[in-house]
Amino acid sequence: MKRIKLILKNITSWSGIIFLLNLTSFSKKLSDETVLKAHYKKRTGKKLNISNPKTFNEKLQWLKIHNRNPEYTRIVDKVTFKDYIREKLGDGYTVPTLGVWDKFDDIDFDKLPDKFVLKCNHDSGGLIICKDKSKLDIDHAREIIEKCLKRNYYWSSREWPYKDVKPCILAEEYLDLPEGMVEYKLFSFNGEAKVIDVCMGIAHTSSRTNTFYDREWNKLPIQTLLPNEKGDIEAPKELPQMLEIADKLSKGIPQVRVDFYIYKGQIYLGEMTFFHNSGTCPINPEEWDYKLGEYIDLSIVDNK
């Protein structure tokens, strides 16, 4: 019944039809531009200006098509990302890896500690948090991981760096992170972090907030999907180091979001994201969608 309602809801428009086709095996016959225009219209209600993009979200769609730096695939792969960060910054900035496997049945659970995290390297799903190995439902974990291994994140929103990531499973050390730990997402533009999204509260709950600051820690009037935190937030003492790292990692990249959290006084990098909310996140007031768009210099992209 849910699938029928989805079809009826979307079949009345061109963008809806393309949106539905992209959920099927027919998706591989559709061009990136066709899918992105439909996806953008479906998610934002606006027509995508791909030939002359002006806003932050429009330019992210343009970058999906034209900025094909092969290094990005290495960065979005959760396994090779750690090697990349080690080469750029040295040791200690990512959670240690306990093992990597191509198939779930290759995992030797006897060699893993009592607490660990299982995830796939190419996808945002498939997360297994094990706090007590003796209580782990291995069959359920297998079901989740194997389903994740079959997905290719590229096809849903054409974020091309994911297209050629070879799926695998990795186990990481378990960090006893407190619920609602503050996350710092630094929106960076060719070597300069300009906007910091401070995420507070438990993810995917009503307590979650997003509050935006510039690099001098002045609050910005940006509103996205979630409310701003009431009152002012104190700048972390590690801010100068996070800015330095984000500036270094984003050099030569038109736009990338560099995510940090702080655990027991240590700075950790969560990920580097090239397409924030896949380039469909509402940014209010609208002038800030354009202002953030001005920060993205498309001329540095070699798309020949």
Side-chain angles (χ1 to χ4, degrees):
M1 181 59 72
K2 289 184 179 180
R3 189 172 184 84
I4 293 174
K5 288 181 179 180
L6 178 65
I7 293 172
L8 292 175
K9 182 179 179 180
N10 288 283
I11 203 168
T12 57
S13 66
W14 169 83
S15 61
I17 293 171
I18 298 299
F19 179 82
L20 285 174
L21 289 174
N22 197 47
L23 300 178
T24 70
S25 59
F26 189 77
S27 64
K28 295 182 180 181
K29 299 182 182 297
L30 301 171
S31 70
D32 287 348
E33 184 169 336
T34 296
V35 171
L36 290 176
K37 286 181 176 179
H39 187 259
Y40 190 83
K41 177 70 173 179
K42 174 66 179 174
R43 297 298 188 191
T44 70
K46 301 175 182 179
K47 184 178 180 180
L48 174 61
N49 183 353
I50 199 71
S51 60
N52 187 28
K54 298 294 185 182
T55 70
F56 178 78
N57 282 321
E58 286 179 335
K59 286 190 175 182
L60 291 190
Q61 307 305 326
W62 187 94
L63 289 168
K64 288 181 184 180
I65 295 174
H66 296 289
N67 191 19
R68 301 295 176 96
N69 185 335
E71 190 79 338
Y72 295 175
T73 295
R74 186 181 178 212
I75 293 171
V76 301
D77 183 325
K78 292 179 176 64
V79 173
T80 55
F81 170 71
K82 297 182 183 186
D83 296 329
Y84 178 84
I85 294 301
R86 187 180 301 109
E87 291 169 11
K88 295 289 185 178
L89 306 176
D91 293 325
Y93 290 95
T94 59
V95 179
T97 297
L98 300 172
V100 178
W101 307 272
D102 292 329
K103 298 181 297 182
F104 187 89
D105 289 335
D106 291 338
I107 302 172
D108 186 347
F109 285 94
D110 290 337
K111 293 183 178 180
L112 290 176
D114 286 336
K115 296 182 179 182
F116 57 87
V117 175
L118 281 182
K119 61 176 69 172
C120 291
N121 66 321
H122 69 301
D123 197 87
S124 60
L127 184 67
I128 305 294
I129 300 175
C130 178
K131 299 181 182 181
D132 184 346
K133 190 167 60 173
S134 67
K135 298 179 180 178
L136 177 64
D137 186 337
I138 292 182
D139 289 337
H140 181 62
R142 179 188 289 106
E143 181 182 353
I144 292 173
I145 293 293
E146 289 185 346
K147 182 178 180 180
C148 179
L149 286 173
K150 294 176 182 178
R151 286 197 295 260
N152 187 322
Y153 193 67
Y154 160 75
W155 293 110
S156 61
S157 55
R158 301 306 168 103
E159 297 185 24
W160 72 267
Y162 293 94
K163 185 177 182 180
D164 294 324
V165 175
K166 182 179 181 296
C168 67
I169 309 160
L170 69 150
E172 292 181 338
E173 285 189 8
Y174 172 80
L175 300 184
D176 192 13
L177 303 175
E179 284 192 324
M181 169 176 276
V182 180
E183 298 174 68
Y184 303 93
K185 302 177 184 291
L186 277 61
F187 288 73
S188 306
F189 306 81
N190 188 22
E192 184 177 5
K194 290 181 175 288
V195 174
I196 304 163
D197 178 8
V198 184
C199 304
M200 303 184 73
I202 301 172
H204 311 299
T205 70
S206 59
S207 70
R208 188 72 161 180
T209 61
N210 290 110
T211 311
F212 295 82
Y213 290 82
D214 64 17
R215 64 185 289 131
E216 285 77 36
W217 209 254
N218 299 303
K219 186 182 287 188
L220 300 174
I222 299 175
Q223 179 78 56
T224 56
L225 291 169
L226 299 174
N228 296 154
E229 187 76 12
K230 294 180 180 179
D232 294 326
I233 302 170
E234 185 177 350
K237 62 181 177 58
E238 297 86 356
L239 178 62
Q241 187 179 358
M242 288 192 288
L243 288 169
E244 182 181 356
I245 290 171
D247 290 351
K248 181 176 182 177
L249 293 176
S250 66
K251 186 67 177 176
I253 302 175
Q255 201 287 314
V256 64
R257 198 191 75 210
V258 187
D259 296 356
F260 297 88
Y261 57 94
I262 302 164
Y263 178 66
K264 294 184 176 180
Q266 171 66 42
I267 291 176
Y268 286 91
L269 279 99
E271 62 179 338
M272 291 172 63
T273 300
F274 295 101
F275 310 105
H276 173 69
N277 267 11
S278 199
T280 59
C281 181
I283 299 174
N284 295 303
E286 191 176 29
E287 65 186 80
W288 272 93
D289 198 359
Y290 283 90
K291 188 173 184 63
L292 293 177
E294 291 174 359
Y295 293 154
I296 301 177
D297 181 5
L298 300 181
S299 70
I300 71 171
V301 176
D302 181 6
N303 63 341
K304 295 180 182 179

